[in-house]
Amino acid sequence: MVAIGLSANAVARVRFALSCLWEVVASVRVLRDPGDHAVHLPWMNRVRPRLAEAGLAGPDAGLLWHLVPPAPGYLADFLTPPPAGLTPDLGQELAALRATPPDTVRAQLDLYPGARPPALAALYADPADGLRRLAEEIGTYWRLALAADWPRIRALLDAEVFRRARRLAEEGAAGLLNDLHERVRWEGDALLISQRHCAAPDVPEGSGLVLVPSVFVWPSVLSIAAGDVPQLAYPARGLGTLWECPSAAPDALGAVLGRGRARLLAELDAPRSTTELARRTGMSPAGVSQHLATLRAAGLVVTHRAGRSLLSSRTPVAEALLTAPG
């Protein structure tokens, strides 16, 4: 059990962040143990062959593969430095990774069991050079495995933050923290995380907490309780729809609203940006914007800002139209 101290003052410093590196690390763990992550099989089937061809997956892979063992193996904290905010930037996160002090790298590598494979032995001997090579590997991995799907992943994560922020406004910190995951609960002055295999020490006096919604961490949670900035990566909701084919709207609704507008309503099962809607429907961004303006005027869609993005979502009236008997 990990206990992250969260007094009333610390709760005021709880924040959300999105992280490219968390998705990289968690997705490698998915590839290492596909049997426990069936929801991601469509993604795995697409990316595994190209990663294997590039030497980034399999027993002969390099640093990243060896640093991310199958669950519940130990995962070095330096792989996921604290993310800055809601605008994830892989370049900035890799710069923070490369800046990890050598003593920290060696201390965390000492926690890995068994003999070190050559890749980890080289990192231990020369952390600065090893981190440079690791950052290059991660950049290649990102291009091959995640870059093409990042817009849809990012849209789902943005929707998750919006949903949680609304819950915080409606139910306060207790409602937010006790609804993150079945293994997480806020009790007294601590956030308790049930992790049987976690070796991290308790943090009796927390300094706030970074909540990181993640696509690939499902179905579990991952926490970093050591250091100045504790982090909790938890599964974002809506994963079941992430790799689905485009939604279809009822034919009768299309006859009333027009097929384009009905299609957009069907796609708004979670808040989405205009760019994401255009990608999912094949419409132009300008066409999507025009349809959304009409749907907003009719009271079927609302739009809110999330960082630099504008996310649209269905209203209860739209939900009723989509679920009405045909």
Side-chain angles (χ1 to χ4, degrees), residues 2 14 17 26 36 47 52 65 101 137 159 163 169 174 177 189 191 249 254 286 292 295 318 326:
V2 177
V14 170
D36 284 344
V47 306
W65 189 261
E137 275 191 30
R163 185 183 300 113
L177 296 173
D189 289 338
L191 190 71
L292 289 176
L295 292 170

Side-chain angles (χ1 to χ4, degrees), residues 180-246:
L180 289 175
H181 193 272
E182 61 184 6
R183 296 186 183 180
V184 179
R185 72 182 189 275
W186 187 29
E187 192 172 283
D189 289 338
L191 190 71
L192 304 178
I193 306 168
S194 176
Q195 290 181 306
R196 291 178 301 159
H197 303 282
C198 184
D202 288 353
V203 180
E205 294 296 335
S207 59
L209 174 70
V210 180
L211 298 175
V212 185
S214 168
V215 163
F216 290 102
V217 76
W218 181 91
S220 186
V221 294
L222 290 172
S223 64
I224 295 178
D228 296 332
V229 185
Q231 301 177 60
L232 175 66
Y234 70 93
R237 293 191 177 180
L239 289 177
T241 66
L242 183 60
W243 310 119
E244 282 183 353
C245 295

Side-chain angles (χ1 to χ4, degrees), residues 27 31 43 46-47 50-51 140-149:
S27 65
L31 291 167
W43 172 80
R46 281 192 290 108
V47 306
R50 68 182 77 141
L51 291 172
T140 302
Y141 179 93
W142 179 269
R143 290 193 297 273
L144 294 177
L146 295 175
D149 294 313

